[in-house]
Amino acid sequence: MTLRRVVVTGLGALTPIGNDVSTYWNNLAAGVSGAGPITKFDASKFRTQFACELKGVDVTQYIPRQEARKMDAFTHYALIATDEAVKDANIDLETIDRNKVGVIWGSGIGGLRSFEDEMIDYAKGDGTPRINPFFIVRMIADSASGQISMRYGFRGTNYVTVSACASTNNAIIDAFNYIRLGRLNMCVVGGSEAAVTRAGIGGFNANRALSERNSDPQGASRPYDKERDGFVLGEGAGSLILEDLDHAQARGAHIYAELIGGGMSSDAYHITAPHPEGLGAYLAMQDALNDAGIQPGEIDYINTHGTSTPIGDPQELKAIYQLFGDHSFQMNISSTKSMTGHLLGAAGAVEAIASIKALEHQLVPPTINLVNVDEEIDSRFNLTPLTAQARPLTTVMSNAFGFGGHNAIVIFRKLS
Protein backbone atom coordinates (compact mmCIF):
# COMPACT_ATOMS: atom_id res chain seq x y z
CA MET A 1 0.00 0.00 0.00
CA THR A 2 1.05 3.61 -0.52
CA LEU A 3 1.88 5.35 2.75
CA ARG A 4 0.53 8.84 3.27
CA ARG A 5 2.91 11.71 3.90
CA VAL A 6 2.79 13.30 7.36
CA VAL A 7 3.41 16.96 8.11
CA VAL A 8 3.50 19.26 11.14
CA THR A 9 0.85 21.99 11.07
CA GLY A 10 0.75 23.26 14.65
CA LEU A 11 3.13 23.83 17.55
CA GLY A 12 2.67 24.64 21.23
CA ALA A 13 5.29 24.95 23.95
CA LEU A 14 5.38 25.60 27.68
CA THR A 15 8.99 25.54 28.81
CA PRO A 16 11.39 26.89 31.44
CA ILE A 17 12.60 29.46 28.86
CA GLY A 18 9.28 30.48 27.34
CA ASN A 19 5.56 29.95 27.78
CA ASP A 20 4.86 29.91 24.03
CA VAL A 21 6.69 28.73 20.94
CA SER A 22 7.95 32.15 19.86
CA THR A 23 9.47 33.02 23.24
CA TYR A 24 10.88 29.52 23.61
CA TRP A 25 12.59 29.65 20.22
CA ASN A 26 13.95 33.18 20.69
CA ASN A 27 15.52 32.19 24.01
CA LEU A 28 16.95 29.00 22.52
CA ALA A 29 18.55 31.01 19.74
CA ALA A 30 19.91 33.49 22.29
CA GLY A 31 21.35 30.78 24.54
CA VAL A 32 19.25 31.56 27.62
CA SER A 33 19.32 29.19 30.59
CA GLY A 34 16.08 28.38 32.41
CA ALA A 35 17.76 27.14 35.60
CA GLY A 36 17.38 28.73 39.02
CA PRO A 37 16.74 27.96 42.69
CA ILE A 38 13.73 25.72 43.35
CA THR A 39 10.66 27.70 44.44
CA LYS A 40 8.03 24.93 44.57
CA PHE A 41 9.22 23.54 47.92
CA ASP A 42 11.97 24.03 50.48
CA ALA A 43 14.96 22.31 48.89
CA SER A 44 17.54 23.48 51.42
CA LYS A 45 18.20 19.95 52.70
CA PHE A 46 18.46 18.39 49.23
CA ARG A 47 21.77 17.82 47.50
CA THR A 48 20.35 19.60 44.45
CA GLN A 49 18.56 22.85 45.21
CA PHE A 50 17.82 24.15 41.70
CA ALA A 51 15.88 23.15 38.60
CA CYS A 52 14.47 24.51 35.36
CA GLU A 53 11.03 25.54 36.57
CA LEU A 54 8.23 27.17 34.59
CA LYS A 55 7.81 30.86 35.25
CA GLY A 56 4.75 33.08 35.40
CA VAL A 57 2.18 30.47 34.38
CA ASP A 58 -1.42 31.20 35.44
CA VAL A 59 -3.29 27.94 34.86
CA THR A 60 -6.68 29.62 35.38
CA GLN A 61 -6.18 31.62 32.19
CA TYR A 62 -6.59 28.34 30.32
CA ILE A 63 -8.58 26.05 32.62
CA PRO A 64 -11.48 27.00 34.94
CA ARG A 65 -10.37 26.81 38.56
CA GLN A 66 -12.86 24.09 39.51
CA GLU A 67 -11.74 21.91 36.61
CA ALA A 68 -8.05 22.57 37.27
CA ARG A 69 -8.44 21.21 40.81
CA LYS A 70 -9.31 17.82 39.32
CA MET A 71 -6.01 17.62 37.41
CA ASP A 72 -2.33 17.28 38.19
CA ALA A 73 0.09 19.94 36.97
CA PHE A 74 1.36 17.70 34.16
CA THR A 75 -2.15 17.68 32.71
CA HIS A 76 -2.42 21.46 33.12
CA TYR A 77 0.77 21.78 31.11
CA ALA A 78 -0.51 19.41 28.42
CA LEU A 79 -3.71 21.44 27.97
CA ILE A 80 -1.89 24.78 27.86
CA ALA A 81 0.62 23.65 25.22
CA THR A 82 -2.09 21.97 23.17
CA ASP A 83 -4.25 25.10 23.29
CA GLU A 84 -1.45 26.94 21.50
CA ALA A 85 -0.88 24.11 19.01
CA VAL A 86 -4.56 23.78 18.04
CA LYS A 87 -4.84 27.54 17.55
CA ASP A 88 -1.58 27.60 15.61
CA ALA A 89 -2.86 24.87 13.29
CA ASN A 90 -6.04 26.90 12.69
CA ILE A 91 -8.23 23.84 13.15
CA ASP A 92 -11.92 24.42 12.46
CA LEU A 93 -13.58 22.03 14.91
CA GLU A 94 -16.90 22.32 13.12
CA THR A 95 -15.69 21.15 9.72
CA ILE A 96 -13.04 18.50 10.40
CA ASP A 97 -13.95 14.86 11.03
CA ARG A 98 -13.18 14.62 14.74
CA ASN A 99 -13.61 10.84 14.60
CA LYS A 100 -10.37 10.81 12.62
CA VAL A 101 -8.37 13.04 14.99
CA GLY A 102 -6.36 11.25 17.68
CA VAL A 103 -4.40 12.19 20.77
CA ILE A 104 -1.22 10.29 21.61
CA TRP A 105 0.61 11.81 24.55
CA GLY A 106 3.83 11.00 26.38
CA SER A 107 4.80 11.27 30.03
CA GLY A 108 7.52 9.44 31.87
CA ILE A 109 6.03 9.86 35.35
CA GLY A 110 2.57 11.44 35.17
CA GLY A 111 0.97 12.89 38.30
CA LEU A 112 3.91 12.67 40.67
CA ARG A 113 2.98 15.85 42.53
CA SER A 114 -0.56 14.60 43.19
CA PHE A 115 0.75 11.27 44.45
CA GLU A 116 3.33 12.94 46.66
CA ASP A 117 0.90 15.46 48.19
CA GLU A 118 -1.77 12.83 48.89
CA MET A 119 0.62 10.42 50.57
CA ILE A 120 2.23 13.14 52.68
CA ASP A 121 -1.22 14.28 53.86
CA TYR A 122 -2.14 10.67 54.66
CA ALA A 123 1.09 10.11 56.61
CA LYS A 124 0.41 13.20 58.72
CA GLY A 125 -2.99 11.85 59.75
CA ASP A 126 -4.12 9.11 62.13
CA GLY A 127 -4.20 6.37 59.52
CA THR A 128 -7.75 7.02 58.39
CA PRO A 129 -7.70 7.05 54.56
CA ARG A 130 -9.16 10.44 53.67
CA ILE A 131 -8.24 10.37 50.00
CA ASN A 132 -9.26 13.02 47.48
CA PRO A 133 -11.84 11.48 45.10
CA PHE A 134 -9.85 12.85 42.16
CA PHE A 135 -6.55 11.38 43.38
CA ILE A 136 -6.39 8.48 40.93
CA VAL A 137 -7.53 10.42 37.87
CA ARG A 138 -5.07 13.20 38.68
CA MET A 139 -2.20 10.77 39.05
CA ILE A 140 -2.54 8.37 36.14
CA ALA A 141 -0.53 9.27 33.06
CA ASP A 142 -3.37 8.79 30.56
CA SER A 143 -5.38 11.62 32.14
CA ALA A 144 -3.53 14.12 29.93
CA SER A 145 -4.59 12.55 26.64
CA GLY A 146 -8.09 12.01 27.96
CA GLN A 147 -8.48 15.65 28.98
CA ILE A 148 -7.18 16.87 25.60
CA SER A 149 -9.64 14.67 23.72
CA MET A 150 -12.56 15.81 25.89
CA ARG A 151 -11.71 19.47 25.48
CA TYR A 152 -11.81 19.31 21.67
CA GLY A 153 -14.04 16.32 21.01
CA PHE A 154 -11.28 14.35 19.29
CA ARG A 155 -12.63 10.79 19.15
CA GLY A 156 -9.81 8.99 17.34
CA THR A 157 -7.01 6.88 18.80
CA ASN A 158 -6.25 8.04 22.34
CA TYR A 159 -3.59 6.85 24.77
CA VAL A 160 -0.33 7.74 26.53
CA THR A 161 3.11 6.26 25.89
CA VAL A 162 5.42 5.68 28.86
CA SER A 163 9.05 4.92 28.07
CA ALA A 164 10.85 7.26 30.47
CA CYS A 165 12.63 10.05 28.60
CA ALA A 166 11.86 8.50 25.21
CA SER A 167 8.10 8.72 25.84
CA THR A 168 7.27 11.59 23.52
CA ASN A 169 9.37 10.39 20.61
CA ASN A 170 7.56 7.06 20.91
CA ALA A 171 4.26 8.98 20.86
CA ILE A 172 5.34 10.92 17.75
CA ILE A 173 6.30 7.69 15.96
CA ASP A 174 3.01 6.03 16.87
CA ALA A 175 1.01 9.01 15.60
CA PHE A 176 3.14 9.08 12.45
CA ASN A 177 2.23 5.48 11.75
CA TYR A 178 -1.50 5.91 12.40
CA ILE A 179 -1.64 8.82 9.96
CA ARG A 180 0.48 7.36 7.19
CA LEU A 181 -1.55 4.15 7.34
CA GLY A 182 -4.74 6.17 6.91
CA ARG A 183 -6.16 5.37 10.36
CA LEU A 184 -6.16 9.06 11.33
CA ASN A 185 -6.24 12.34 9.41
CA MET A 186 -4.66 14.30 12.23
CA CYS A 187 -3.20 13.70 15.68
CA VAL A 188 -2.33 15.82 18.67
CA VAL A 189 0.98 14.47 19.90
CA GLY A 190 3.32 15.66 22.61
CA GLY A 191 4.42 15.24 26.17
CA SER A 192 4.27 16.88 29.58
CA GLU A 193 6.04 16.48 32.89
CA ALA A 194 5.77 18.09 36.33
CA ALA A 195 8.42 16.30 38.36
CA VAL A 196 10.07 19.23 40.15
CA THR A 197 8.85 17.88 43.49
CA ARG A 198 10.43 16.51 46.63
CA ALA A 199 10.08 12.98 45.30
CA GLY A 200 11.43 13.94 41.88
CA ILE A 201 14.49 15.82 43.10
CA GLY A 202 15.12 13.39 45.97
CA GLY A 203 14.74 10.34 43.76
CA PHE A 204 17.10 11.53 41.07
CA ASN A 205 19.56 12.70 43.76
CA ALA A 206 19.47 9.19 45.21
CA ASN A 207 20.60 7.63 41.93
CA ARG A 208 23.21 10.36 41.42
CA ALA A 209 21.67 11.60 38.17
CA LEU A 210 21.32 15.32 38.96
CA SER A 211 23.90 18.08 38.90
CA GLU A 212 24.74 19.42 42.34
CA ARG A 213 26.23 22.71 41.12
CA ASN A 214 24.14 24.75 43.56
CA SER A 215 26.44 27.75 43.38
CA ASP A 216 25.88 28.13 39.63
CA PRO A 217 22.48 26.80 38.51
CA GLN A 218 22.57 28.49 35.10
CA GLY A 219 25.93 26.89 34.36
CA ALA A 220 24.96 23.43 35.62
CA SER A 221 23.53 21.87 32.46
CA ARG A 222 26.68 21.54 30.37
CA PRO A 223 26.46 18.66 27.90
CA TYR A 224 29.82 17.41 26.60
CA ASP A 225 31.79 19.66 28.97
CA LYS A 226 34.42 17.86 31.03
CA GLU A 227 33.04 19.42 34.23
CA ARG A 228 29.46 18.19 33.77
CA ASP A 229 28.10 16.40 36.83
CA GLY A 230 24.56 15.41 35.93
CA PHE A 231 21.37 16.75 34.41
CA VAL A 232 19.15 19.60 35.55
CA LEU A 233 15.52 18.63 36.06
CA GLY A 234 13.02 20.60 33.98
CA GLU A 235 9.25 20.77 33.64
CA GLY A 236 6.71 21.76 31.01
CA ALA A 237 5.12 20.49 27.83
CA GLY A 238 5.32 20.46 24.06
CA SER A 239 2.47 19.77 21.66
CA LEU A 240 2.50 19.17 17.90
CA ILE A 241 -0.28 18.72 15.37
CA LEU A 242 0.63 15.98 12.91
CA GLU A 243 -1.51 15.74 9.81
CA ASP A 244 -1.92 13.89 6.55
CA LEU A 245 -0.34 16.08 3.84
CA ASP A 246 -3.35 15.96 1.52
CA HIS A 247 -5.69 16.79 4.41
CA ALA A 248 -3.50 19.73 5.45
CA GLN A 249 -3.27 21.12 1.93
CA ALA A 250 -7.02 20.74 1.36
CA ARG A 251 -7.77 22.97 4.32
CA GLY A 252 -4.99 25.45 3.53
CA ALA A 253 -2.92 24.73 6.63
CA HIS A 254 0.50 26.23 7.23
CA ILE A 255 3.07 23.43 7.08
CA TYR A 256 6.20 23.69 9.21
CA ALA A 257 7.95 20.50 8.13
CA GLU A 258 7.44 16.93 7.04
CA LEU A 259 7.98 14.04 9.45
CA ILE A 260 9.76 11.47 7.32
CA GLY A 261 10.98 8.75 9.67
CA GLY A 262 11.10 7.27 13.12
CA GLY A 263 13.30 4.62 14.67
CA MET A 264 13.25 2.65 17.91
CA SER A 265 15.45 0.17 19.73
CA SER A 266 16.40 -1.15 23.15
CA ASP A 267 19.84 -1.19 24.73
CA ALA A 268 18.99 -4.47 26.52
CA TYR A 269 21.84 -3.57 28.84
CA HIS A 270 21.09 -1.72 32.11
CA ILE A 271 18.15 -0.09 33.89
CA THR A 272 19.76 3.39 33.95
CA ALA A 273 23.14 3.35 32.17
CA PRO A 274 23.36 3.48 28.36
CA HIS A 275 25.21 0.78 26.44
CA PRO A 276 28.93 1.64 26.75
CA GLU A 277 29.39 1.68 22.98
CA GLY A 278 26.06 3.37 22.26
CA LEU A 279 24.67 0.27 20.55
CA GLY A 280 21.01 1.02 21.20
CA ALA A 281 21.38 4.61 20.04
CA TYR A 282 23.10 3.43 16.86
CA LEU A 283 20.34 0.93 16.11
CA ALA A 284 17.56 3.47 16.65
CA MET A 285 19.21 6.11 14.45
CA GLN A 286 19.83 3.50 11.73
CA ASP A 287 16.21 2.39 12.00
CA ALA A 288 15.04 5.99 11.61
CA LEU A 289 17.19 6.53 8.51
CA ASN A 290 15.91 3.29 7.00
CA ASP A 291 12.33 4.28 7.73
CA ALA A 292 12.86 7.67 6.11
CA GLY A 293 14.60 6.09 3.11
CA ILE A 294 17.57 8.44 3.34
CA GLN A 295 21.35 8.14 3.72
CA PRO A 296 23.36 9.30 6.75
CA GLY A 297 24.93 12.09 4.70
CA GLU A 298 21.54 13.76 4.29
CA ILE A 299 21.25 14.73 7.97
CA ASP A 300 22.34 18.33 8.59
CA TYR A 301 21.71 18.65 12.33
CA ILE A 302 21.11 16.35 15.28
CA ASN A 303 19.43 17.65 18.43
CA THR A 304 21.00 15.06 20.68
CA HIS A 305 19.65 13.55 23.88
CA GLY A 306 22.70 15.19 25.50
CA THR A 307 21.62 15.26 29.14
CA SER A 308 24.93 16.44 30.67
CA THR A 309 25.57 13.17 32.49
CA PRO A 310 29.13 11.84 32.71
CA ILE A 311 28.46 8.52 30.96
CA GLY A 312 25.58 9.38 28.64
CA ASP A 313 27.05 12.11 26.46
CA PRO A 314 30.16 10.33 25.09
CA GLN A 315 28.21 7.14 24.32
CA GLU A 316 25.72 9.03 22.16
CA LEU A 317 28.54 10.62 20.18
CA LYS A 318 30.21 7.22 19.77
CA ALA A 319 27.00 5.95 18.24
CA ILE A 320 26.78 8.98 15.94
CA TYR A 321 30.31 8.45 14.67
CA GLN A 322 29.74 4.72 14.19
CA LEU A 323 26.72 5.45 11.99
CA PHE A 324 27.66 8.70 10.26
CA GLY A 325 31.43 8.29 9.98
CA ASP A 326 33.26 11.43 8.88
CA HIS A 327 29.94 13.08 8.02
CA SER A 328 29.60 13.40 11.81
CA PHE A 329 32.03 16.29 11.58
CA GLN A 330 30.10 18.04 8.79
CA MET A 331 26.82 18.10 10.70
CA ASN A 332 25.90 20.40 13.53
CA ILE A 333 25.17 18.75 16.85
CA SER A 334 23.73 20.49 19.89
CA SER A 335 21.83 19.77 23.08
CA THR A 336 19.01 22.18 23.86
CA LYS A 337 18.82 20.58 27.33
CA SER A 338 21.70 22.90 28.17
CA MET A 339 19.00 25.62 28.26
CA THR A 340 15.74 23.90 29.16
CA GLY A 341 17.08 21.25 31.47
CA HIS A 342 15.77 17.71 31.09
CA LEU A 343 11.98 17.55 30.79
CA LEU A 344 12.01 13.75 31.09
CA GLY A 345 8.98 12.37 29.22
CA ALA A 346 8.28 15.78 27.68
CA ALA A 347 11.84 16.23 26.39
CA GLY A 348 11.14 14.71 22.97
CA ALA A 349 8.28 17.13 22.34
CA VAL A 350 10.07 20.37 23.16
CA GLU A 351 13.19 19.15 21.33
CA ALA A 352 11.18 18.17 18.24
CA ILE A 353 9.79 21.72 18.26
CA ALA A 354 13.32 23.11 18.58
CA SER A 355 14.41 20.98 15.61
CA ILE A 356 11.46 22.12 13.49
CA LYS A 357 12.10 25.76 14.34
CA ALA A 358 15.76 25.28 13.45
CA LEU A 359 14.61 24.15 9.99
CA GLU A 360 12.28 27.13 9.72
CA HIS A 361 14.92 29.69 10.69
CA GLN A 362 17.97 27.90 9.22
CA LEU A 363 19.66 28.30 12.58
CA VAL A 364 21.11 25.69 14.93
CA PRO A 365 20.50 26.46 18.62
CA PRO A 366 23.63 26.24 20.76
CA THR A 367 24.95 23.97 23.46
CA ILE A 368 25.51 26.57 26.17
CA ASN A 369 28.01 26.17 29.02
CA LEU A 370 30.28 24.10 26.78
CA VAL A 371 33.61 25.65 27.74
CA ASN A 372 36.00 22.69 27.86
CA VAL A 373 35.04 19.67 25.76
CA ASP A 374 35.57 16.33 27.49
CA GLU A 375 38.83 14.75 26.31
CA GLU A 376 36.90 11.55 25.59
CA ILE A 377 34.99 13.38 22.84
CA ASP A 378 36.51 13.82 19.38
CA SER A 379 37.34 17.50 18.91
CA ARG A 380 36.18 17.36 15.29
CA PHE A 381 32.50 17.26 16.27
CA ASN A 382 30.77 20.61 15.79
CA LEU A 383 28.85 20.70 19.07
CA THR A 384 27.62 24.27 18.41
CA PRO A 385 29.26 25.62 21.55
CA LEU A 386 27.92 28.71 23.33
CA THR A 387 26.25 30.50 20.41
CA ALA A 388 23.76 29.59 17.67
CA GLN A 389 25.08 28.91 14.17
CA ALA A 390 23.35 29.79 10.90
CA ARG A 391 23.64 27.18 8.16
CA PRO A 392 21.53 25.58 5.41
CA LEU A 393 19.26 22.93 6.93
CA THR A 394 17.10 20.50 5.00
CA THR A 395 16.86 17.42 7.22
CA VAL A 396 17.22 17.20 11.01
CA MET A 397 17.18 14.40 13.57
CA SER A 398 16.04 14.52 17.19
CA ASN A 399 17.18 11.84 19.66
CA ALA A 400 15.57 10.64 22.89
CA PHE A 401 16.75 7.88 25.22
CA GLY A 402 15.18 6.68 28.46
CA PHE A 403 16.00 4.76 31.61
CA GLY A 404 15.44 1.10 30.86
CA GLY A 405 17.31 1.34 27.57
CA HIS A 406 14.50 2.85 25.48
CA ASN A 407 15.66 4.70 22.35
CA ALA A 408 13.43 6.64 19.95
CA ILE A 409 14.51 8.87 17.05
CA VAL A 410 12.50 11.16 14.76
CA ILE A 411 13.54 12.87 11.52
CA PHE A 412 12.02 16.05 10.06
CA ARG A 413 12.59 17.59 6.62
CA LYS A 414 11.64 20.78 4.86
CA LEU A 415 8.61 20.09 2.71
CA SER A 416 9.49 19.69 -0.93
Side-chain angles (χ1 to χ4, degrees):
M1 64 179 294
T2 301
L3 296 178
R4 299 182 180 186
R5 295 173 68 182
V6 179
V7 294
V8 181
T9 57
L11 301 173
L14 182 64
T15 79
I17 59 171
N19 296 342
D20 55 68
V21 170
S22 177
T23 307
Y24 168 54
W25 170 253
N26 288 338
N27 283 328
L28 280 179
V32 174
S33 170
I38 291 171
T39 65
K40 295 182 182 299
F41 62 93
D42 180 4
S44 60
K45 294 183 179 180
F46 288 73
R47 291 205 301 272
T48 296
Q49 299 165 11
F50 61 94
C52 285
E53 295 181 327
L54 297 178
K55 301 160 185 72
V57 179
D58 182 357
V59 171
T60 61
Q61 289 185 352
Y62 303 90
I63 309 166
R65 189 178 302 275
Q66 286 298 108
E67 292 301 310
R69 290 175 60 189
K70 302 173 186 178
M71 307 172 196
D72 186 83
F74 93 101
T75 300
H76 297 161
Y77 302 164
L79 288 171
I80 292 170
T82 298
D83 180 73
E84 182 183 12
V86 168
K87 290 175 180 175
D88 185 44
N90 196 27
I91 298 172
D92 184 344
L93 297 176
E94 300 306 315
T95 60
I96 64 167
D97 181 358
R98 284 184 276 178
N99 295 336
K100 297 277 283 184
V101 181
V103 182
I104 305 179
W105 205 252
S107 185
I109 299 178
L112 182 62
R113 188 177 304 170
S114 293
F115 184 85
E116 176 184 297
D117 289 345
E118 203 71 37
M119 292 301 99
I120 288 174
D121 287 346
Y122 173 74
K124 288 178 179 178
D126 63 1
T128 303
R130 299 183 179 90
I131 305 297
N132 188 304
F134 295 105
F135 168 54
I136 295 298
V137 296
R138 290 172 64 180
M139 179 190 68
I140 54 179
D142 68 307
S143 62
S145 66
Q147 288 289 349
I148 292 169
S149 70
M150 287 185 282
R151 169 165 286 202
Y152 301 101
F154 296 153
R155 293 180 288 268
T157 302
N158 186 290
Y159 60 89
V160 162
T161 58
V162 180
S163 50
C165 306
S167 296
T168 303
N169 273 13
N170 280 131
I172 291 171
I173 294 167
D174 283 3
F176 177 46
N177 287 328
Y178 275 105
I179 295 170
R180 64 178 173 172
L181 290 170
R183 301 289 298 276
L184 295 173
N185 294 332
M186 184 185 297
C187 194
V188 178
V189 63
S192 56
E193 209 77 87
V196 182
T197 70
R198 287 163 285 192
I201 294 292
F204 282 118
N205 267 158
N207 66 23
R208 313 298 294 191
L210 294 181
S211 170
E212 298 178 18
R213 192 184 286 258
N214 293 310
S215 62
D216 181 24
Q218 294 196 341
S221 185
R222 46 196 319 113
Y224 312 117
D225 191 274
K226 69 178 182 180
E227 295 182 3
R228 67 193 184 281
D229 68 329
F231 72 80
V232 178
L233 188 59
E235 61 178 359
S239 185
L240 301 87
I241 307 300
L242 300 186
E243 191 168 352
D244 172 80
L245 173 61
D246 292 340
H247 187 271
Q249 290 177 331
R251 68 181 190 88
H254 170 73
I255 295 172
Y256 284 98
E258 183 175 7
L259 175 58
I260 62 170
M264 296 176 283
S265 75
S266 175
D267 281 4
Y269 173 72
H270 190 273
I271 195 62
T272 58
H275 190 281
E277 297 303 317
L279 176 60
Y282 169 86
L283 292 172
M285 288 188 290
Q286 180 67 75
D287 189 39
L289 291 172
N290 291 343
D291 189 44
I294 64 173
Q295 297 301 311
E298 295 180 62
I299 299 293
D300 302 309
Y301 164 51
I302 301 178
N303 191 342
T304 58
H305 187 60
T307 58
S308 185
T309 54
I311 61 172
D313 295 358
Q315 277 70 14
E316 183 172 9
L317 294 179
K318 285 180 183 178
I320 289 171
Y321 181 72
Q322 182 183 358
L323 179 59
F324 291 90
D326 285 348
H327 181 65
S328 303
F329 311 130
Q330 306 303 314
M331 300 185 294
N332 272 75
I333 291 168
S334 74
S335 171
T336 52
K337 288 184 180 72
S338 61
M339 295 169 277
T340 64
H342 191 355
L343 274 66
L344 306 179
V350 297
E351 289 160 21
I353 292 169
S355 301
I356 291 164
K357 296 297 284 185
L359 273 177
E360 180 183 25
H361 292 277
Q362 299 289 283
L363 184 72
V364 177
T367 306
I368 68 168
N369 301 320
L370 180 51
V371 179
N372 296 301
V373 177
D374 189 332
E375 293 89 346
E376 189 179 346
I377 294 171
D378 195 313
S379 62
R380 292 175 292 176
F381 283 111
N382 182 358
L383 300 172
T384 323
L386 306 179
T387 58
Q389 295 179 14
R391 64 165 290 168
L393 297 172
T394 300
T395 310
V396 300
M397 175 181 281
S398 186
N399 293 357
F401 312 134
F403 279 4
H406 312 290
N407 308 297
I409 313 296
V410 291
I411 300 175
F412 298 96
R413 183 172 61 191
K414 289 179 66 177
L415 186 66
S416 58

